[in-house]
Amino acid sequence: MSHWKQPSKLAMLVVLLLLLCHAVDKVHCSTHHNNSQDFHSLLEFHKGITSDPNEALSNWNPSIHFCHWHGVNCSFTRPYRVTELNLTGQNLAGQISSSLGNLTFLHTLDLSYNSFSGPLPLLNKLRNLDVLFLGSNHLGDVIPDWLTNSSNLVDLDLSENNLTGHIPSNIGFLTKLEGIALYNNNLTGVIPPTLGNISTLEVVDFSANQLSGSIPNKVWQISNITMLNLGQNNLSGGIPDTLSNFSSLTALGLNNNKLGSALPSNIGDVFRHLNELYLDNNIFVGTIPTSLGNPSSLEALDLSNNHFSGKIPSSFGRLSKLQILNLELNMLEARDSEGWQFFDALANCSSLNILSVSQNL
Ligand SMILES: *[C@@H]1O[C@H](CO)[C@@H](O)[C@H](O)[C@H]1NC(C)=O
Ligand SMILES: *[C@@H]1O[C@H](CO)[C@@H](O)[C@H](O)[C@H]1NC(C)=O
Ligand SMILES: *[C@@H]1O[C@H](CO)[C@@H](O)[C@H](O)[C@H]1NC(C)=O
Ligand SMILES: *[C@@H]1O[C@H](CO)[C@@H](O)[C@H](O)[C@H]1NC(C)=O
Ligand SMILES: *[C@@H]1O[C@H](CO)[C@@H](O)[C@H](O)[C@H]1NC(C)=O
Ligand SMILES: *[C@@H]1O[C@H](CO)[C@@H](O)[C@H](O)[C@H]1NC(C)=O
Ligand SMILES: *[C@@H]1O[C@H](CO)[C@@H](O)[C@H](O)[C@H]1NC(C)=O
Ligand SMILES: *[C@@H]1O[C@H](CO)[C@@H](O)[C@H](O)[C@H]1NC(C)=O
Ligand SMILES: *[C@@H]1O[C@H](CO)[C@@H](O)[C@H](O)[C@H]1NC(C)=O
Ligand SMILES: *[C@@H]1O[C@H](CO)[C@@H](O)[C@H](O)[C@H]1NC(C)=O
Ligand SMILES: *[C@@H]1O[C@H](CO)[C@@H](O)[C@H](O)[C@H]1NC(C)=O
Ligand SMILES: *[C@@H]1O[C@H](CO)[C@@H](O)[C@H](O)[C@H]1NC(C)=O
């Protein structure tokens, strides 16, 4: 019993040291937990870098604990595993080593705005990964299938690379995804129908690829989606008549495709939060729906270079925020005073900067 009341000086010292150690420098005291796997993974990654003109990695040396290396963050508790690697915009070149796939606590990887080339690294063991930003590099090859196993991904950006092949058909496995940017690549094939299974989606940008086929119907039913950009592809089909009432869309870009058929007459009621609508350079037909005068925040409307016919709706006069209205290169008619009523109505649109109705009837 006595040693409970009078703890030995040695024990006191050990406790004191441990406490001090914990308070003063969590990282350097973790000698028992020197995570050599993370250390070696980062060193391997460093070896793959062939150019570092900004000397972004100048403090990546073994005398400094890797948790203090530039761009690296670790968990605050033992065993101090690497949780974030962020080297965005550092002009780094080389290949991204698959050794990063051994950083099994990693949740954020941001290597965007560099000059990395080669294929995407194999990160299939990273169960905690929620942010993967590799946009604006020179990465090539295909989007690997394992990516759809990273089921905790919330934000995925592979835009502005040189990716080819298809978007993985199992993309719908990423059930927590809120943002996906694949624009400016060389992707072919269809938009996988399983994309419509991801009810959490808010921002989808697949523009400037070579995607073909039609837009899966379920994509229009994702209630939280605010930005959908599928412009500059090779998409066909149209916009379905049966649009859900609960759209949050503020920006819709379908320009420069081969989309046709008539627009649903209630398009402006369903997409009532629209700021920007780009349907130009397609083969849409029929009249312009009067309902497009209803989204009160609409600022840019481009319907140019289609096959729209009939009169220009005077309902555009209700769009008090409208700045750009481009209707050129269609078959719209204004032959009598009734046909020109839209022009009087537009006098209401005091923010209008650009108006073109050229090359119509
Ligand atoms: C961690 O261990 C590795 C060998 O596994 C060693 O090279 C490195 O210097 C150690 N780092 C620290 C900060 O103790
Ligand atoms: C590390 O975490 C801190 C605090 O959360 C944050 O300010 C910093 O930007 C992070 N650094 C990296 C490289 O992620
Ligand atoms: C990476 O760091 C930059 C600033 O250096 C920051 O703007 C960016 O949001 C960070 N990326 C992530 C994914 O947190
Ligand atoms: C990942 O770690 C394992 C075990 O430490 C090692 O055998 C393997 O080579 C590492 N993978 C890469 C790509 O570095
Ligand atoms: C995805 O995960 C499943 C189960 O965890 C595994 O069987 C499969 O091989 C993984 N697929 C890829 C492409 O990594
Ligand atoms: C893209 O990849 C093709 C071949 O796959 C190659 O010829 C081209 O140079 C690459 N472009 C860039 C910008 O990396
Ligand atoms: C797409 O591929 C073509 C032909 O291989 C190439 O000329 C073009 O630069 C590529 N585009 C991008 C964005 O990589
Ligand atoms: C996902 O979408 C596909 C194709 O639309 C469908 O067949 C499948 O049942 C969906 N899966 C889930 C889990 O909802
Ligand atoms: C839609 O957004 C709201 C508000 O941000 C959020 O509470 C809700 O969970 C989201 N719905 C889905 C299916 O993610
Ligand atoms: C565009 O799609 C059509 C089918 O609608 C297909 O025949 C054509 O090959 C595609 N063109 C390109 C460049 O992918
Ligand atoms: C959809 O909106 C229309 C007009 O705003 C309304 O008449 C209809 O009842 C709504 N449908 C549902 C399912 O809410
Ligand atoms: C012009 O604006 C007023 C007030 O916003 C509105 O009542 C009127 O209907 C508009 N005129 C036209 C032709 O749309």
Side-chain angles (χ1 to χ4, degrees):
M1 287 296 262
S2 63
H3 55 275
W4 282 108
K5 284 174 186 163
Q6 284 186 301
S8 76
K9 282 182 180 159
L10 182 65
M12 288 278 280
L13 196 64
V14 167
V15 168
L16 194 65
L17 269 175
L18 279 174
L19 282 172
L20 262 176
C21 189
H22 200 70
V24 170
D25 190 340
K26 287 188 266 190
V27 159
H28 282 98
C29 292
S30 65
T31 41
H32 288 293
H33 301 276
N34 173 4
N35 201 300
S36 64
Q37 177 165 286
D38 283 5
F39 175 76
H40 287 293
S41 298
L42 291 173
L43 277 188
E44 276 303 304
F45 166 74
H46 193 183
K47 275 188 208 160
I49 291 171
T50 53
S51 173
D52 177 12
N54 299 357
E55 301 188 0
L57 307 186
S58 57
N59 81 342
W60 281 45
N61 93 51
S63 64
I64 299 172
H65 194 283
F66 60 80
C67 291
H68 295 311
W69 290 357
H70 179 64
V72 178
N73 258 355
C74 294
S75 47
F76 291 122
T77 53
R78 292 175 189 206
Y80 310 117
R81 300 292 307 274
V82 175
T83 55
E84 294 184 39
L85 179 58
N86 183 348
L87 293 166
T88 186
Q90 301 292 342
N91 286 314
L92 300 170
Q95 297 217 2
I96 305 175
S97 168
S98 284
S99 67
L100 294 185
N102 272 344
L103 299 174
T104 49
F105 275 54
L106 200 64
H107 65 70
T108 297
L109 178 59
D110 187 348
L111 302 176
S112 57
Y113 298 98
N114 282 293
S115 299
F116 286 111
S117 52
L120 261 67
L122 179 64
L123 306 175
N124 60 339
K125 287 188 290 188
L126 304 189
R127 296 277 165 239
N128 299 311
L129 198 63
D130 54 22
V131 176
L132 180 58
F133 288 171
L134 301 177
S136 297
N137 280 287
H138 308 302
L139 299 170
D141 214 331
V142 300
I143 300 177
D145 278 336
W146 59 256
L147 195 67
T148 62
N149 264 5
S150 303
S151 53
N152 283 313
L153 270 183
V154 174
D155 247 313
L156 174 64
D157 188 346
L158 305 176
S159 63
E160 304 198 290
N161 278 293
N162 198 12
L163 300 171
T164 56
H166 295 188
I167 300 173
S169 57
N170 286 336
I171 195 83
F173 287 173
L174 302 178
T175 54
K176 295 181 181 170
L177 208 57
E178 293 175 4
I180 177 167
L182 303 177
Y183 59 88
N184 274 358
N185 278 291
N186 251 331
L187 300 169
T188 53
V190 301
I191 298 173
T194 64
L195 186 77
N197 288 1
I198 312 177
S199 58
T200 48
L201 277 176
E202 293 169 11
V203 175
V204 174
D205 195 338
F206 293 170
S207 61
N209 281 288
Q210 291 149 37
L211 301 171
S212 52
S214 57
I215 302 168
N217 269 343
K218 279 200 299 182
V219 169
W220 300 109
Q221 286 155 26
I222 303 172
S223 60
N224 275 3
I225 209 164
T226 58
M227 201 265 245
L228 179 62
N229 192 354
L230 305 174
Q232 294 176 265
N233 278 291
N234 187 26
L235 299 168
S236 50
I239 300 177
D241 286 332
T242 51
L243 290 168
S244 128
N245 259 8
F246 306 104
S247 174
S248 309
L249 267 181
T250 60
L252 176 60
L254 302 177
N255 53 289
N256 299 79
N257 278 290
K258 293 181 188 149
L259 294 159
S261 81
L263 296 181
S265 60
N266 64 347
I267 185 167
D269 296 322
V270 169
F271 298 149
R272 58 186 174 278
H273 303 297
L274 275 181
N275 292 321
E276 299 167 85
L277 178 59
Y278 302 105
L279 303 180
D280 51 288
N281 295 296
N282 279 290
I283 45 176
F284 285 110
V285 298
T287 55
I288 298 176
T290 310
S291 68
L292 278 179
N294 294 344
S296 55
S297 319
L298 197 61
E299 293 176 3
L301 177 59
D302 195 339
L303 305 179
S304 64
N305 201 7
N306 278 288
H307 300 320
F308 287 114
S309 55
K311 295 194 178 69
I312 297 172
S314 298
S315 61
F316 285 155
R318 293 200 291 264
L319 299 172
S320 60
K321 305 239 171 84
L322 195 64
Q323 295 174 22
I324 298 171
L325 179 60
N326 190 353
L327 304 176
E328 66 193 32
L329 282 160
N330 278 291
M331 299 183 296
L332 298 163
E333 286 178 43
R335 297 178 191 278
D336 49 21
S337 59
E338 206 198 327
W340 281 99
Q341 264 173 18
F342 82 91
F343 206 68
D344 292 335
L346 286 177
N348 243 10
C349 305
S350 53
S351 307
L352 199 59
N353 284 322
I354 297 173
L355 168 67
S356 179
V357 291
S358 70
Q359 305 198 57
N360 278 285
L361 304 173

